[in-house]
C-alpha cells in the first residue's frame, strides 16, 4: 500500500476539530482512508468538492481561489493551481489530488 499522504477530515458532528487520517492507495483506483478511532471509511463517501480541503497543505491556498465552486483543475485565479506553479504545493501531491478527484467525480456521476 502506498500512503498518499496524511489528510484531515472534519468529524461527523460538524465541529471544527479534525482527525488526522491517512489516505492509502491500495491498488490502482482503490483507496483506503485510515482514520484512528473511527471505522475505516470509503473514500467515495467524500464529496469531490470537499477533497481539496482534505489535503492539509492545500487548505491555506483554497481561500485564494476566485470562485467558491473552484474545482482547482483548470480555473484561472485558482489559489491551489497558483501554489502548485510557485512550488508551494508539490506536483506529486497535486497529481494525486487530480487523480482522486476524477475518480470521485466519476463515481458521483455514475451513482444512479
Ligand atoms: Zn481553486
Amino acid at each position: 500500500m502506498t500512503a498518499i499522504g496524511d489528510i484531515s477530515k472534519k468529524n461527523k458532528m460538524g465541529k471544527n476539530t479534525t482527525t488526522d487520517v491517512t489516505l492509502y492507495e491500495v491498488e490502482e483506483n482503490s483507496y483506503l482512508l485510515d482514520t484512528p478511532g473511527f471505522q475505516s471509511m470509503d473514500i467515495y463517501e467524500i464529496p469531490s468538492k470537499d477533497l481539496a480541503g482534505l489535503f492539509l497543505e492545500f487548505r491555506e491556498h483554497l481561500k485564494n481561489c476566485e470562485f467558491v465552486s473552484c474545482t482547482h483543475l483548470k480555473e484561472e485565479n485558482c489559489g491551489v493551481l497558483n501554489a502548485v506553479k510557485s512550488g508551494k504545493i508539490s506536483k506529486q501531491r497535486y497529481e494525486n489530488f487530480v487523480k482522486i478527484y476524477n475518480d470521485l467525480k466519476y463515481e458521483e456521476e455514475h451513482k444512479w
Side-chain angles (χ1 to χ4, degrees), residues 3 7 12 17 23 28 42-43 49-51 85 104 107:
I7 55 179
K12 289 238 160 96
T17 51
L23 180 62
E28 190 81 9
D42 191 329
I43 186 158
K49 64 179 172 48
D50 290 348
L51 182 67
K85 269 181 222 148
L104 294 182
E107 286 292 316

Side-chain angles (χ1 to χ4, degrees), residues 3-105:
I4 291 177
D6 290 324
I7 55 179
S8 281
K9 187 174 188 328
K10 271 187 187 168
N11 69 22
K12 289 238 160 96
M13 315 297 204
K15 296 221 173 95
N16 279 333
T17 51
T18 53
T19 308
D20 283 330
V21 297
T22 306
L23 180 62
Y24 293 100
E25 183 167 14
V26 182
E27 53 192 64
E28 190 81 9
N29 297 323
S30 177
Y31 306 100
L32 177 77
L33 285 174
D34 182 31
T35 57
F38 293 87
Q39 283 185 312
S40 291
M41 58 178 281
D42 191 329
I43 186 158
Y44 294 112
E45 289 173 26
I46 302 171
S48 59
K49 64 179 172 48
D50 290 348
L51 182 67
L54 297 182
F55 284 75
L56 286 177
E57 77 272 38
F58 285 24
R59 267 188 207 166
E60 60 177 303
H61 303 292
L62 295 176
K63 61 179 184 292
N64 298 325
C65 294
E66 186 176 348
F67 304 105
V68 179
S69 60
C70 189
T71 60
H72 324 296
L73 296 181
K74 53 188 184 303
E75 282 86 350
E76 282 185 42
N77 299 322
C78 167
V80 172
L81 279 176
N82 285 339
V84 174
K85 269 181 222 148
S86 62
K88 287 179 192 138
I89 291 176
S90 89
K91 273 219 163 68
Q92 174 106 51
R93 292 274 283 163
Y94 179 72
E95 280 163 15
N96 280 333
F97 162 76
V98 173
K99 194 175 155 205
I100 298 169
Y101 181 90
N102 286 329
D103 284 351
L104 294 182
K105 203 76 190 156

